[in-house]
Amino acid sequence: MPKLIKDGAIANDEWVLIESAEVEGALPSGNLIVPLALWAAQQEQLLARDEEVGVWLQSDESPDKIGDRLRELALVAINFPAFTDGRGFSYAQLLRSRLNFTGELRAIGDVGKDQMFFMQRCGFDSYLIADDKDTDQAIAALSSFTDTYQSAQDQPVPAFRRNA
Amino acid sequence: MYQYNEFDRQLVKERVDQFRDQTQRFLDGNLSEGEFLPLRLQNGLYIQRMAPLLRIAIPYGTLSATQLRTLADVSRKYDKGYGHISTRQNFQLNWPALEDVPDILAELAEVEMHAIQTSGSCIRSITADPFSGVATDEIEDARPYAEILRQWSTLHPEFAFLPRKFKIAVCGSENDRTAVHFHDIGVIMAKNEQGETGFEILVGGGLGRTPVIGTSIRKFLPKQHLLTYVEAILRIYNQLGRRDNKCKARIKILVRALGADTFAEMVEEEWQHLKDSPSTLTDNEISRVCAFFEEPDYNSKVNTSEPSQLTENKEFSRWYTNNTRSHKQPGYRSVVISLKGTGTPPGDVSDTQMELIADLAEKFSFSELRTSREQNLILPYVEKAQLFEIWQALGGSGMATANIGTINDITCCPGGDYCSLANAKSIPIAEEIQRIFEAPDTLDELGDIDLKVSGCMNACGHHHIGQIGILGVDKKGKEFYQVSLGGGVGDNAAVAKILGPSFSQAEVPGVIKQITDIYLDKKTPDEKFTDTLARIGVQPFKEKIYAKTH
């Protein structure tokens, strides 16, 4: 089982990830994270359920594609097919700063401690990491650097304005 | 030059700690080769043919005598007693042991140096004119803006995993010495109609497999918007740049696919969201950084006359002409220290040479040095009256060869002798060419000729922009060399044209000799090689060279 780190601590995963848009039969119960295509096709039905709904984006799916009802989502997840595919960092910044998304923003896929500091800066607040990875080390990596130069979601004011 | 504050120091130290942990995890088998690779690259560490290669950042080519001494120390302690100046003004060690790299980085951090983002698919170390602050054709000193960009790009969380490497140069002078048109972003200092200084922004230039001249997407950007505008460009590239094919992943391919106009519109639209955000530079910040680059305490009683030895010493006079440059401060010159003596790989410098240069910088150049794209070291602030002593000192250590700007001032990548990417050796080719032309009278006769050698398509030796370019290629397991003519930078920015079928290693020196013979035959009095070439074109060279050899 992959392990969840949320708000800087180990957490229980209360979400079910639907990997493919080709769902056979009824959707499972519980809070669902659905692929963008499923969200696009069944927005009304998904929002009408009693449980929460979230959408996950593939690395070539811009958050713009979620559409106007983004604010009704409790969670957006961004998939990193490989940690070197850095599109998700820009998507996170756009979700937080341009699209004003305030729900949970989760990194899924190839997520490792060496990327999590940057992910956090871009606005992620939860990380699903592979089950062979050390959660203590991953949590520690969120504070690899005491301070940084540039503006991002965790610190919108760049160092040069703070230290002036 | 820029001095670290507590903030900078802490960040660099924490980066060393982070890399020490990553290296240890790799050595313990807890980080796979594939996982470690992008992490070590972002700390300047390649694994090469013989050993790792560590590329240490020299931001915009400015370093202190103390830093150069540390490089000498590190080269002696952890390597074979020499290092190499790269074509992006950085410093490379060819033989460090992987397990020593964290210690090397820790020693460098003590003197405010690092290897952050000197490699990998991220925003690379920023380059600028090595004569910044002293050049007579300067619009404004580029270094403060290069430093501002350095800080902004260092550990930028959004752009650590770009589709491909991303290079930025800042040109602050009328004559471009940064190859600004051949960068992913070229920042050119420019004045608007009101006489205010700002930037012209070029995008999509680059060398490598597909050489492209950058396109101007904004003629004038007011200074305060530098970071937000560059951020808009990067954000679009990070999302839309190709990630399916490494050879098509640079921003130049994206700009070409979309069309420069469309790309410019997309940047403009993205920028409207970022413009005037907190990343907008304040006057306060610009003056804070500029203050680090103020003029040194020039000698007000300097002797402004030419050195007396010029008339009586022909060798010194030749060196003065070729290896020193005019200076905006009367009575001063900048000195280019030639790392191009025949028989040593271009750009290589030994530990003892570095120490001698550091001594000279302390004694004669306000303890400051520069590295150049042409792989030489520069003393930026030297009184004319002290040039003779410097010339003698350099000469004693093989660094006063009066060949700067000549055909023997060869730009050359490490090539097949070191680099695992290379198709062919480049250093032996450079040496064979230098042997043909090394007689001072020959170099005088030929004047300025820019010759550049790369050992493969990645073009680290910048062969595309050499007036004469040589590229190593692999043909059925054998090393061959393609020769091209007519590359240039600045107002003459051009990609050199390939002359024709490639040559064997043994043929190359003869071909270069033929090129210079044709030039001497066709030139008008006082016409430079580049002007003759522009006038007569490549055809006469093609005809003659291929008529004889094939």
Side-chain angles (χ1 to χ4, degrees):
Chain A
M1 279 284 285
K3 296 182 268 197
L4 182 71
I5 294 170
K6 190 181 166 187
D7 298 325
I10 300 169
N12 281 327
D13 191 358
E14 289 160 357
W15 292 82
V16 178
L17 185 78
I18 308 292
E19 289 194 17
S20 164
E22 320 279 307
V23 188
E24 286 182 27
L27 286 166
S29 61
N31 300 333
L32 300 183
I33 309 174
V34 302
L36 183 68
L38 192 64
W39 166 250
Q42 301 189 27
Q43 223 167 91
E44 294 301 329
Q45 297 94 306
L46 286 163
L47 289 170
R49 294 166 81 253
D50 287 339
E51 287 116 336
E52 300 272 21
V53 60
V55 167
W56 71 268
L57 299 170
Q58 191 45 279
S59 66
D60 61 354
E61 295 171 338
S62 161
D64 288 336
K65 294 184 180 164
I66 296 174
D68 296 341
R69 303 188 77 174
L70 169 69
R71 64 185 177 284
E72 295 175 56
L73 297 176
L75 179 148
V76 172
I78 296 173
N79 186 43
F80 289 81
F83 74 84
T84 49
D85 183 341
R87 284 174 277 194
F89 295 95
S90 287
Y91 297 161
Q93 292 254 53
L94 288 170
L95 273 164
R96 292 298 195 204
S97 62
R98 192 80 36 89
L99 303 169
N100 303 316
F101 178 68
T102 54
E104 180 176 340
L105 183 52
R106 181 178 290 194
I108 61 173
D110 189 7
V111 178
K113 65 172 263 192
D114 299 298
Q115 292 76 48
M116 282 169 54
F117 178 79
F118 290 151
M119 287 174 169
Q120 166 182 263
R121 294 217 64 210
C122 290
F124 287 99
D125 50 13
S126 76
Y127 315 87
L128 200 60
I129 63 170
D131 111 60
D132 61 343
K133 296 211 161 115
D134 183 316
T135 44
D136 290 346
Q137 283 188 12
I139 290 166
L142 289 169
S143 42
S144 299
F145 296 91
T146 312
D147 204 348
T148 46
Y149 290 110
Q150 54 300 93
S151 151
Q153 299 312 312
D154 62 332
Q155 175 49 276
V157 184
F160 70 78
R161 282 183 190 262
R162 285 181 280 127
N163 301 341
Chain B
M1 60 185 279
Y2 186 73
Q3 310 279 318
Y4 281 14
N5 55 27
E6 211 29 64
F7 181 99
D8 304 296
R9 244 188 297 281
Q10 176 177 274
L11 184 128
V12 169
K13 190 190 160 297
E14 287 173 343
R15 178 64 159 194
V16 174
D17 296 343
Q18 185 192 44
F19 188 64
R20 194 182 291 283
D21 166 65
Q22 290 165 347
T23 306
Q24 197 52 51
R25 278 152 60 212
F26 172 70
L27 293 171
D28 292 345
N30 294 326
L31 205 55
S32 73
E33 186 82 49
E35 287 172 312
F36 187 49
L37 179 114
L39 305 176
R40 64 171 163 75
L41 286 179
Q42 301 214 353
N43 284 285
L45 188 63
Y46 290 81
I47 305 292
Q48 287 291 20
R49 190 155 279 183
M50 311 291 181
L53 178 157
L54 178 64
R55 185 180 293 146
I56 297 161
I58 300 180
Y60 39 91
T62 297
L63 81 164
S64 70
T66 309
Q67 290 173 330
L68 186 62
R69 261 184 225 295
T70 301
L71 292 176
D73 262 351
V74 162
S75 306
R76 187 162 41 228
K77 195 162 150 193
Y78 298 102
D79 205 292
K80 297 188 175 182
Y82 67 95
H84 175 79
I85 309 292
S86 81
T87 51
R88 295 199 73 251
Q89 302 179 295
N90 293 320
F91 182 87
Q92 298 180 172
L93 291 174
N94 289 308
W95 312 91
L98 171 64
E99 52 274 26
D100 286 339
V101 172
D103 291 337
I104 298 175
L105 295 178
E107 286 192 31
L108 293 171
E110 294 293 317
V111 292
E112 308 184 359
M113 296 186 92
H114 59 73
I116 298 172
Q117 291 165 220
T118 55
S119 177
S121 295
C122 54
I123 303 169
R124 299 288 189 88
S125 179
I126 316 288
T127 59
D129 181 10
F131 298 100
S132 291
V134 301
T136 46
D137 64 345
E138 191 160 79
I139 297 156
E140 199 176 303
D141 193 338
R143 291 171 300 165
Y145 304 98
E147 174 59 28
I148 285 168
L149 284 165
R150 181 191 76 81
Q151 296 190 12
W152 165 81
S153 60
T154 298
L155 307 187
H156 197 299
E158 188 178 339
F159 306 128
F161 298 99
L162 295 170
R164 195 80 172 81
K165 58 188 168 185
F166 202 94
K167 298 174 180 177
I168 304 178
V170 188
C171 168
S173 54
E174 279 163 19
N175 300 295
D176 171 35
R177 287 176 288 268
T178 65
V180 72
H181 293 84
F182 296 95
H183 283 76
D184 297 281
I185 293 180
V187 178
I188 302 175
M189 305 213 66
K191 289 210 189 282
N192 66 4
E193 283 169 7
Q194 289 74 46
E196 296 156 340
T197 315
F199 312 102
E200 181 181 359
I201 305 289
L202 312 180
V203 292
L207 297 170
R209 192 174 295 268
T210 317
V212 180
I213 296 174
T215 309
S216 176
I217 57 164
R218 194 169 182 98
K219 289 291 171 205
F220 188 81
L221 180 74
K223 276 181 183 175
Q224 69 268 28
H225 299 307
L226 179 63
L227 299 183
T228 52
Y229 194 80
V230 169
E231 191 147 309
I233 296 172
L234 261 302
R235 182 168 283 172
I236 288 170
Y237 170 59
N238 189 39
Q239 293 178 81
L240 300 181
R242 285 182 63 171
R243 290 174 187 265
D244 59 328
N245 181 343
K246 207 179 165 191
C247 299
K248 297 191 188 304
R250 296 282 293 271
I251 195 174
K252 60 194 171 190
I253 306 292
L254 177 67
V255 172
R256 204 155 63 176
L258 292 169
D261 291 344
T262 306
F263 184 81
E265 281 165 27
M266 291 169 80
V267 170
E268 194 66 27
E269 197 191 320
E270 178 61 36
W271 184 50
Q272 290 311 314
H273 295 284
L274 300 172
K275 189 170 176 267
D276 302 323
S277 72
S279 299
T280 306
L281 290 169
T282 55
D283 290 345
N284 196 12
E285 172 64 358
I286 293 173
S287 25
R288 179 186 78 93
V289 180
C290 284
F292 288 106
F293 301 96
E294 271 170 11
E295 287 185 353
D297 194 7
Y298 287 123
N299 177 4
S300 57
K301 301 192 183 78
V302 68
N303 180 352
T304 56
S305 54
E306 296 299 287
S308 58
Q309 300 88 346
L310 281 179
T311 45
E312 67 225 32
N313 189 321
K314 189 153 184 236
E315 277 180 68
F316 173 64
S317 161
R318 183 179 273 126
W319 176 83
Y320 179 90
T321 307
N322 287 343
N323 293 27
T324 75
R325 294 286 176 272
S326 60
H327 204 287
K328 70 177 191 190
Q329 184 71 12
Y332 283 79
R333 302 281 288 181
S334 43
V335 171
V336 185
I337 298 169
S338 175
L339 301 181
K340 305 297 176 67
T342 308
T344 41
D348 273 16
V349 59
S350 74
D351 56 341
T352 49
Q353 287 177 325
M354 285 186 255
E355 279 161 350
L356 171 76
I357 296 167
D359 288 342
L360 293 174
E362 277 163 1
K363 202 164 164 195
F364 300 116
S365 186
F366 298 100
S367 299
E368 197 184 303
L369 291 140
R370 311 287 175 82
T371 52
S372 74
R373 182 169 66 87
E374 292 80 11
Q375 305 172 288
N376 293 303
L377 277 157
I378 291 162
L379 295 167
Y381 321 101
V382 179
E383 288 185 35
K384 284 181 183 176
Q386 289 159 340
L387 288 168
F388 189 75
E389 190 179 337
I390 289 176
W391 173 71
Q392 285 183 312
L394 290 172
S397 198
M399 296 186 288
T401 314
N403 61 1
I404 299 304
T406 72
I407 196 167
N408 274 12
D409 186 7
I410 297 175
T411 304
C412 183
C413 71
D417 292 297
Y418 295 98
C419 177
S420 51
L421 300 173
N423 294 124
K425 292 186 176 66
S426 51
I427 294 167
I429 291 282
E431 182 176 343
E432 285 163 31
I433 293 168
Q434 285 175 323
R435 297 226 178 270
I436 305 178
F437 299 108
E438 68 182 339
D441 290 340
T442 308
L443 291 179
D444 281 353
E445 191 183 15
L446 292 174
D448 287 353
I449 300 180
D450 185 22
L451 188 147
K452 297 184 187 294
V453 189
S454 301
C456 78
M457 284 308 294
N458 288 305
C460 296
H462 295 180
H463 66 279
H464 295 300
I465 51 174
Q467 291 162 3
I468 302 173
I470 300 175
L471 166 67
V473 291
D474 176 275
K475 280 211 292 196
K476 294 180 185 142
K478 285 211 163 114
E479 297 183 1
F480 278 82
Y481 296 87
Q482 215 169 56
V483 175
S484 53
L485 289 177
V489 300
D491 293 340
N492 303 314
V495 174
K497 291 190 184 69
I498 297 165
L499 213 48
S502 52
F503 303 98
S504 69
Q505 183 176 344
E507 288 173 311
V508 173
V511 170
I512 305 303
K513 178 72 167 61
Q514 269 184 303
I515 291 170
T516 59
D517 287 346
I518 296 165
Y519 158 62
L520 292 175
D521 180 48
K522 303 279 184 188
K523 75 188 270 266
T524 60
D526 299 327
E527 191 177 43
K528 285 184 172 180
F529 176 75
T530 180
D531 298 326
T532 306
L533 189 59
R535 181 169 57 79
I536 67 175
V538 170
Q539 203 53 33
F541 293 91
K542 236 179 202 173
E543 281 165 16
K544 196 134 188 191
I545 288 164
Y546 288 100
K548 267 190 181 171
T549 56
H550 290 273

